[in-house]
Amino acid sequence: LVVKVGEGWVPLRLDTVWRLSSEDKYVRLYTAQGEHLVRQTLRALEERLDPTRFVRVHRGDLVNLEAVARLEPWTHGDGILALKDGSTVILSRTYREAFLQQWGAAE
């Protein structure tokens, strides 16, 4: 992925991207080097990413499976994913089964 930083563009290694979150017509990339805002839709980025590495966990969030430290139960079938960088993201029950399958967890 290539992102704009200041007036220039820099390549971003996908293994450093922990999470992608939709923000209107933008996507915020959370990486080991910090955050980047990209003017693209989450769906467009999802189509370019490796589906064995990045999985949708909520309507507005994708996570790198390698960044997930643990899954905590929450309410109504939803869960909270704790990422290795210390942040958390909601795992919607809508995407729970697909996430668990990709993550390799048995329910």
Side-chain angles (χ1 to χ4, degrees):
L1 247 131
V2 177
V3 296
K4 189 172 185 178
V5 176
E7 294 299 314
W9 296 85
V10 295
L12 196 60
R13 289 186 30 191
L14 290 178
D15 60 344
T16 68
V17 177
W18 302 113
R19 174 178 152 204
L20 298 92
S21 293
S22 177
E23 291 186 17
D24 208 11
K25 294 180 182 180
Y26 294 86
V27 173
R28 184 167 304 275
L29 304 172
Y30 295 88
T31 73
Q33 295 80 28
E35 298 177 15
H36 301 281
L37 201 57
V38 177
R39 186 173 168 86
Q40 245 184 331
T41 65
L42 189 60
R43 182 177 306 276
L45 283 173
E46 182 178 20
E47 290 172 0
R48 295 176 52 201
L49 297 171
D50 179 356
T52 64
R53 179 181 275 181
F54 291 90
V55 64
R56 189 175 288 261
V57 295
H58 193 273
R59 185 174 79 186
D61 291 290
L62 295 169
V63 296
N64 183 336
L65 291 170
E66 295 174 11
V68 178
R70 70 181 180 281
L71 168 61
E72 309 259 340
W74 201 31
T75 61
H76 307 292
D78 292 346
I80 300 288
L81 294 174
L83 304 184
K84 292 177 182 174
D85 69 349
S87 66
T88 59
V89 64
I90 294 172
L91 170 61
S92 167
R93 66 183 169 269
T94 304
Y95 299 99
R96 181 182 178 100
E97 187 177 328
F99 168 80
L100 290 174
Q101 188 175 21
Q102 288 288 105
W103 199 38
E107 231 179 319

